[in-house]
Amino acid sequence: MDRGTRRGAAVALLAAAALAPTAAPAASDAQAQALGKELTPVGAERAANKDGSIPAWNGGDLKAPGGWKPGQARPDPYAAEKPLFTIDAASADKYKDRLSEGQLALLKQLKGYRMDVYPTHRSCGYPQQVYDNTRKNATGAKLAANGFDLGAAVSGGVPFPIPENGAQAMWNYKMHWVGEGRTERYSTVFSSPGDGKFVPLVQDQLTATPLGNIAGKPVTEGDGIEWSVLNEVVTPAARTGEIILIHYYQAKDNDAWLYFPGQRRVRRAPTFAYDNPVPGYENLLAVDQYPMFGGRLDRYDWKLAGKQELIVPYNTFRFNNQDAKLADVFGADYPKRELIRYEAHRVWKIEATVKPGQRHQFPKRTIYLDEDTWAMVAVDNYDAQGKVWRVQESYPYVAWELPACVYQGYVVYDLNVGRYMADNMPQEGKVDWLAGREGRIDMKRFNPDELRRAGSR
């Protein structure tokens, strides 16, 4: 079989999988043979697109620039490049086939909003162990009998590199590899239309990601936790010392505990899931919008609508500069447009609609997953009238120390109230992507008793 025939067969397998009825099993042996050949080791199409605007994948740009060390601000390896073109309100319709409905709404509703589009670099890749674990999962992973929880897989890899349905693709997002855990100091910005002034919410956070264990452990081992967060407010002074602990589980609703210094006690949050608002986030973020999406899949039907080419933030080293000042990055209505790099990439499109008998403030969501990483790069959330309400985008870059493509920050635009929030932003902060691997996270801290002790200090 020649190269063209093999590629055609691989693409046909992908198309058949995307259109197949909902099914729990992983890929067949025949499908899995394409991994590392016509497909990348995590399931993306290796070849370039027809017009060459999306190049072939050649392993990623995983080597750090000379002299750079973890903990330092990241240099932009593509800093010398100029935009190929710019999309604004006047030209939006020309590029609508490569834009989401939410992106079109931002371009047309926000005065001066634009997207500077640069040459595409398929810079993302992973360690060989992630590829090995993904290969095991390709024929061994499965969904639970309910069709939305994870039934079997090994950690440290993509569970369904050749997905058959939307729930499988969402688990690929939930398990896209970002290491074994991280620590960070980050800022959250709540926009103030008009004068543009804001007081950032600064937080210290520990994130444990047991499903990122690169040793390839069965996900059924352990306590069923998908990931955990321990977060403490640093500023503003009125909120200093507030602490929240959250456990996101594989097959049950989240648990969360809150500590407020003024009350000097820990209380369990009665409901910290789905469309409940995140406390202290000015009603601009639902719990399951963090970070981009978090929580169980049980309230939606997840349709895998196939692939498309989309212009999305990518290789956003300049925007993620930890040495930058927040005031120089975030404006009244949106982040400074010249700082955000957009590229054309292939994405998986997932259409989520609320199941009959269930409820959610977003009856419909359209989700876009980058094919090279399974990271969530854009989301359009719709209101009950079917109009785009909240638009989200993330800002991937290569963390050479892992190596992996990651994102910390993400932005949520609320078109109904005319505001945006930027969360987990690294400017004036820091992040340690190796903290879990190198033992700088004490797992004993992720329990309510430790929360009580931490609050009493």
Side-chain angles (χ1 to χ4, degrees):
M1 185 182 293
D2 62 29
R3 183 178 179 183
T5 304
R6 291 197 307 271
R7 179 172 179 252
V11 173
L13 285 169
L14 283 170
L19 296 173
T22 301
S28 68
D29 288 332
Q31 289 174 312
Q33 291 303 313
L35 295 173
K37 297 176 183 175
E38 294 78 26
L39 304 179
T40 73
V42 296
E45 292 178 54
R46 182 185 287 269
N49 68 344
K50 290 182 179 179
D51 65 10
S53 59
I54 299 174
W57 182 82
N58 292 309
D61 301 330
L62 304 180
K63 187 176 180 180
W68 179 84
K69 296 180 181 179
Q72 296 177 339
R74 299 175 191 275
D76 183 354
Y78 315 116
E81 294 183 348
K82 304 297 183 183
L84 299 172
F85 55 91
T86 293
I87 306 174
D88 57 17
S91 61
D93 286 340
K94 177 180 177 182
Y95 299 101
K96 63 182 180 180
D97 289 344
R98 283 188 166 189
L99 298 171
S100 76
E101 189 171 348
Q103 289 174 321
L104 284 166
L106 294 174
L107 287 161
K108 294 184 177 183
Q109 293 184 35
L110 301 182
K111 184 178 180 180
Y113 187 93
R114 73 175 198 266
M115 300 165 66
D116 293 336
V117 184
Y118 289 79
T120 296
H121 294 274
R122 296 182 71 179
S123 52
C124 297
Y126 296 104
Q128 185 61 45
Q129 285 174 280
V130 172
Y131 299 150
D132 293 342
N133 293 331
T134 299
R135 185 63 181 81
K136 293 176 184 177
N137 281 332
T139 55
K142 63 180 181 179
L143 295 177
N146 59 25
F148 52 81
D149 287 330
L150 187 62
V154 298
S155 65
V158 174
F160 304 102
I162 305 175
E164 294 185 343
N165 55 66
Q168 289 183 350
M170 285 297 294
W171 272 105
N172 290 346
Y173 153 72
K174 287 157 105 27
M175 287 184 64
H176 79 279
W177 195 75
V178 294
E180 299 86 346
R182 70 182 186 269
T183 64
E184 60 197 312
R185 172 166 289 188
Y186 69 83
S187 298
T188 303
V189 171
F190 306 100
S191 74
S192 178
D195 61 17
K197 296 179 180 179
F198 57 84
V199 176
L201 173 65
V202 180
Q203 302 173 81
D204 285 337
Q205 185 163 287
L206 301 155
T207 303
T209 52
L211 295 188
N213 186 339
I214 208 165
K217 301 289 186 180
V219 298
T220 50
E221 292 184 1
D223 48 17
I225 291 177
E226 183 183 337
W227 59 294
S228 297
V229 170
L230 179 62
N231 180 293
E232 182 170 357
V233 174
V234 177
T235 60
R239 295 186 58 186
T240 299
E242 292 180 11
I243 305 174
I244 184 169
L245 169 66
I246 314 167
H247 290 320
Y248 293 81
Y249 295 98
Q250 297 176 39
K252 65 178 183 178
D253 290 348
N254 310 337
D255 278 332
W257 297 264
L258 306 167
Y259 173 81
F260 296 99
Q263 301 175 8
R264 297 192 66 81
R265 68 183 182 91
V266 173
R267 65 180 179 86
R268 185 168 181 168
T271 52
F272 193 85
Y274 307 112
D275 55 359
N276 290 284
V278 174
Y281 271 39
E282 302 188 14
N283 206 31
L284 292 173
L285 190 75
V287 169
D288 66 6
Q289 287 183 280
Y290 177 83
M292 295 296 280
F293 181 87
R296 293 187 78 191
L297 306 179
D298 55 325
R299 290 201 177 179
Y300 287 90
D301 288 319
W302 305 89
K303 177 185 176 182
L304 190 60
K307 274 191 185 176
Q308 73 173 80
E309 295 176 6
L310 197 71
I311 294 171
V312 295
Y314 220 93
N315 293 308
T316 55
F317 294 93
R318 181 167 46 177
F319 182 64
N320 282 287
N321 180 7
Q322 68 184 37
D323 290 346
K325 300 298 183 183
L326 291 164
D328 295 333
V329 174
F330 298 100
D333 300 308
Y334 39 76
K336 303 295 177 65
R337 305 317 299 158
E338 67 271 16
L339 297 178
I340 302 180
R341 178 189 179 102
Y342 289 84
E343 299 179 1
H345 285 264
R346 282 186 293 246
V347 297
W348 286 100
K349 181 179 180 180
I350 301 170
E351 296 173 350
T353 53
V354 171
K355 292 179 178 178
Q358 297 281 6
R359 61 161 300 277
H360 197 287
Q361 66 175 335
F362 307 132
K364 176 186 173 183
R365 296 165 118 141
T366 304
I367 292 169
Y368 299 92
L369 305 181
D370 170 43
E371 73 162 347
D372 286 337
T373 62
W374 296 100
M376 195 172 293
V377 287
V379 184
D380 295 340
N381 302 283
Y382 294 79
D383 63 20
Q385 286 71 48
K387 296 181 179 179
V388 178
W389 174 6
R390 289 184 185 166
V391 182
Q392 302 169 236
E393 65 179 21
S394 69
Y395 305 96
Y397 61 91
V398 183
W400 301 299
E401 60 269 44
L402 284 171
C405 272
V406 299
Y407 66 81
Q408 220 184 321
Y410 64 101
V411 169
V412 180
Y413 297 90
D414 191 316
L415 297 178
N416 287 358
V417 300
R419 296 182 66 195
Y420 78 93
M421 61 159 287
D423 195 22
N424 282 38
M425 289 296 154
Q427 298 85 3
E428 300 184 36
K430 57 186 177 181
V431 59
D432 180 358
W433 290 101
L434 296 176
R437 179 184 304 174
E438 297 182 351
R440 289 186 288 277
I441 296 178
D442 183 358
M443 298 304 297
K444 294 180 181 179
R445 296 183 62 187
F446 290 88
N447 70 73
D449 290 337
E450 285 294 319
L451 192 67
R452 295 182 181 94
R453 281 190 280 272
S456 66
R457 289 199 294 266

